[in-house]
Amino acid sequence: MTELEASWPQGTECVAKYNFKGTTEHDLPFCKGDILTIILATKDSNWYKAKNCAGKEGTIPVNYVQKREGVKSEGKLSLMPWFHGKISREQAEQLLSPPETGMFLVRESTNYPGDYTLCVSCEGKVEHYRIIYKDGQLTIDMEEYFENLIQLVDHYTENADGLCTKLINPKLEEGTLAAKDAFCKSGWALNREELQLYDSIGKGEFGDVILGDYRGSKVAVKCIKHDATAQAFVAEASVMTQLRHNNLVQLLGVILEKGSLFIVTEFMTKGSLVDYLRSRGRIVLDGHSLLKFSLDVSAAMEYLEVNNFVHRDLAARNVLVSDDNVAKVSDFGMTKEACSTQDMAKFPIKWTAPEALRDKLFSTKSDVWSYGVLLWEIYSFGRVPYPKIPLKDMVSHVEKGYKMESPDGCPAVVYNTMKLCWSLDPCTRPTFHMLREMLKHIAAQGT
Ligand code: ADP
Ligand code: MG
């Protein structure tokens, strides 16, 4: 055990690497994959007092568990760190020297545009295998076909299957890190065998969301379709490993194996807030429920504010409702990275602050603007914002200071709060901390 591991503070999360039956009644038995939270160090640095998900406490052997941390990295986390883009045959050979059997990279083919080349170092020589792109599939030998390069590389990593050697060590592109390693090392990789997939429950931009079962709990699984969008997926998942709050949809882990890419999160039985508001409406939802949703979201946003994280896509469709009616913010797909390459046409114009639309100036303050629109959605029971204005005229109206009218029956104090969020000058908008205080005050007065 290293020195570092010897000093796990209270609250540290760990994942069990092996099963532990326990030998005395003081021990806390666990199974591989269980999440445990450290409570106290003991006199013996090999043992910690910990508790499991059910709240049961006991001592655990430290070498049976792995610490779970946020995935942060200096370099770019990549699912294809071995992909070097358009480099020449000579450059590839240079990159693969000194020779090390099994070292490989993938490049775009220079001779056959649209195809790729797998370059593998083998007993002092570099072999170049042409990867043919045919009818949406990739193949080297016209026998095995793959949907994407990740699947192809995974296949030949397991088995040489006709190549001079199986793939062993990727030659990383400069400045990149293998996402898979990063998720494994920080304790966020889940075991595919323990996940069952059922029906589709939603459609996302990057792929379907499917209801699943992971070790006996219902989970939502975001499945990735193409390797082209995979990078955004990695960014979203790595952001989620760094966040923990009761009003944020919790990440359970990711699966990156055999070419399948999944983000596994807690399952929110009541679906998206916008659908929830529309289907229940005024008759079911009273002022108290609406205020509670508003407070839930403000708590999540205050947490993001404190941690300097900008959401960029806050809207009722991206807030989900749990079985016990807790609203939780989800959809962290619009990270800075994903966004800088995104064209503005795809932006949720009606929710985005004018300075963000105009100059791409995203900040906690632009999230505050979106929060104002979200409040409007809540109090109008899920109506589409700016109902009377054609989308093409919206930006110019808003820039001139146009603000939406109060939803029917919305308390004046709540409407005033929305209007503060829609101040054209970002600096004069309230902070999420202030917003939450205002809403708490409104709640205390029983509006
Ligand atoms: P995207 O990033 O592509 O917008 P979302 O994360 O918003 O994808 O998911 C799309 C839809 O899938 C949501 O609107 C919701 O209906 C459903 N969904 C997503 N995550 C969950 C979850 N954890 N529990 C229940 N439903 C979910
Ligand atoms: Mg969404």
Side-chain angles (χ1 to χ4, degrees), residues 238-283:
S238 71
V239 163
M240 290 180 87
T241 64
Q242 298 167 45
L243 305 172
R244 177 168 295 270
H245 188 277
N246 190 44
N247 297 109
L248 293 177
V249 173
Q250 182 59 47
L251 176 74
L252 299 178
V254 301
I255 295 171
L256 305 171
E257 40 184 75
K258 301 201 182 76
S260 35
L261 315 170
F262 302 124
I263 300 185
V264 183
T265 63
E266 63 176 314
F267 174 57
M268 302 287 285
T269 48
K270 292 184 177 162
S272 88
L273 180 60
V274 72
D275 295 337
Y276 187 82
L277 293 163
R278 284 176 191 165
S279 59
R280 271 68 168 189
R282 234 170 257 286
I283 299 157

Side-chain angles (χ1 to χ4, degrees), residues 185-223:
K185 272 192 208 133
S186 47
W188 288 97
L190 304 182
N191 185 356
R192 175 69 183 88
E193 268 87 63
E194 292 186 284
L195 176 73
Q196 272 102 46
L197 294 175
Y198 304 127
D199 302 329
S200 171
I201 46 172
K203 268 221 174 314
E205 197 191 331
F206 301 123
D208 286 346
V209 181
I210 294 174
L211 174 66
D213 183 290
Y214 184 71
R215 313 177 89 230
S217 305
K218 276 190 180 168
V219 293
V221 187
K222 213 178 240 190
C223 307

Side-chain angles (χ1 to χ4, degrees), residues 37-329:
T37 310
I38 299 294
I39 302 175
L40 272 180
T42 65
K43 285 196 194 105
D44 183 344
S45 65
N46 292 313
W47 294 81
Y48 273 89
K49 190 166 174 213
K51 83 176 174 222
N52 66 16
C53 295
K56 197 168 172 331
E57 298 182 1
T59 47
I60 60 162
V62 75
N63 53 348
Y64 276 54
V65 300
Q66 178 192 5
K67 190 167 161 185
R68 196 160 79 157
E69 307 169 283
V71 178
K72 279 193 199 141
S73 78
E74 297 299 312
K76 181 178 158 210
L77 284 182
S78 173
L79 288 167
M80 309 196 292
W82 32 256
F83 184 65
H84 291 246
K86 234 188 182 83
I87 58 167
S88 67
R89 186 185 176 95
E90 291 72 29
Q91 281 170 312
E93 295 190 350
Q94 240 161 35
L95 283 166
L96 292 173
S97 70
E100 183 189 316
T101 295
M103 178 92 99
F104 70 96
L105 61 82
V106 177
R107 60 183 171 92
E108 285 175 34
S109 168
T110 34
N111 296 343
Y112 307 93
D115 287 356
Y116 300 99
T117 308
L118 172 63
C119 313
V120 194
S121 182
C122 190
E123 289 167 13
K125 252 179 66 199
V126 175
E127 299 287 345
H128 298 261
Y129 297 97
R130 178 175 168 202
I131 304 172
I132 300 164
Y133 181 79
K134 206 174 146 219
D135 305 327
Q137 292 204 305
L138 300 165
T139 183
I140 292 180
D141 57 9
M142 302 294 208
E143 277 174 29
E144 261 340 299
Y145 286 83
F146 307 94
E147 279 168 44
N148 58 45
L149 288 173
I150 300 170
Q151 285 180 10
L152 181 142
V153 165
D154 276 353
H155 176 82
Y156 291 104
T157 300
E158 266 172 29
N159 192 328
D161 197 12
L163 303 190
C164 59
T165 163
K166 68 176 181 179
L167 309 179
I168 301 170
N169 240 334
K171 174 70 199 175
L172 302 187
E173 199 200 359
E174 213 179 302
T176 64
L177 267 164
K180 194 168 168 173
D181 292 349
F183 283 106
C184 287
K185 272 192 208 133
S186 47
W188 288 97
L190 304 182
N191 185 356
R192 175 69 183 88
E193 268 87 63
E194 292 186 284
L195 176 73
Q196 272 102 46
L197 294 175
Y198 304 127
D199 302 329
S200 171
I201 46 172
K203 268 221 174 314
E205 197 191 331
F206 301 123
D208 286 346
V209 181
I210 294 174
L211 174 66
D213 183 290
Y214 184 71
R215 313 177 89 230
S217 305
K218 276 190 180 168
V219 293
V221 187
K222 213 178 240 190
C223 307
I224 200 77
K225 274 188 291 201
H226 306 291
D227 49 0
T229 48
Q231 206 44 55
F233 157 97
V234 168
E236 173 170 8
S238 71
V239 163
M240 290 180 87
T241 64
Q242 298 167 45
L243 305 172
R244 177 168 295 270
H245 188 277
N246 190 44
N247 297 109
L248 293 177
V249 173
Q250 182 59 47
L251 176 74
L252 299 178
V254 301
I255 295 171
L256 305 171
E257 40 184 75
K258 301 201 182 76
S260 35
L261 315 170
F262 302 124
I263 300 185
V264 183
T265 63
E266 63 176 314
F267 174 57
M268 302 287 285
T269 48
K270 292 184 177 162
S272 88
L273 180 60
V274 72
D275 295 337
Y276 187 82
L277 293 163
R278 284 176 191 165
S279 59
R280 271 68 168 189
R282 234 170 257 286
I283 299 157
V284 179
L285 298 169
D286 56 9
H288 175 79
S289 318
L290 301 184
L291 200 53
K292 167 73 169 43
F293 288 142
S294 313
L295 272 164
D296 282 349
V297 176
S298 73
M301 296 311 294
E302 186 183 348
Y303 170 83
L304 296 184
E305 176 173 80
V306 169
N307 290 287
N308 282 319
F309 180 78
V310 182
H311 189 286
R312 292 164 190 251
D313 196 11
L314 183 61
R317 65 181 171 278
N318 288 332
V319 174
L320 302 173
V321 183
S322 75
D323 209 35
D324 46 358
N325 297 327
V326 177
K328 304 194 186 204
V329 174

Side-chain angles (χ1 to χ4, degrees), residues 8 14-22 30-34 36 46-47 60-67:
W8 288 355
C14 322
V15 194
K17 289 191 286 189
Y18 316 102
N19 294 335
F20 174 63
K21 287 205 189 95
F30 53 77
C31 297
K32 184 176 177 207
D34 282 357
L36 303 157
N46 292 313
W47 294 81
I60 60 162
V62 75
N63 53 348
Y64 276 54
V65 300
Q66 178 192 5
K67 190 167 161 185

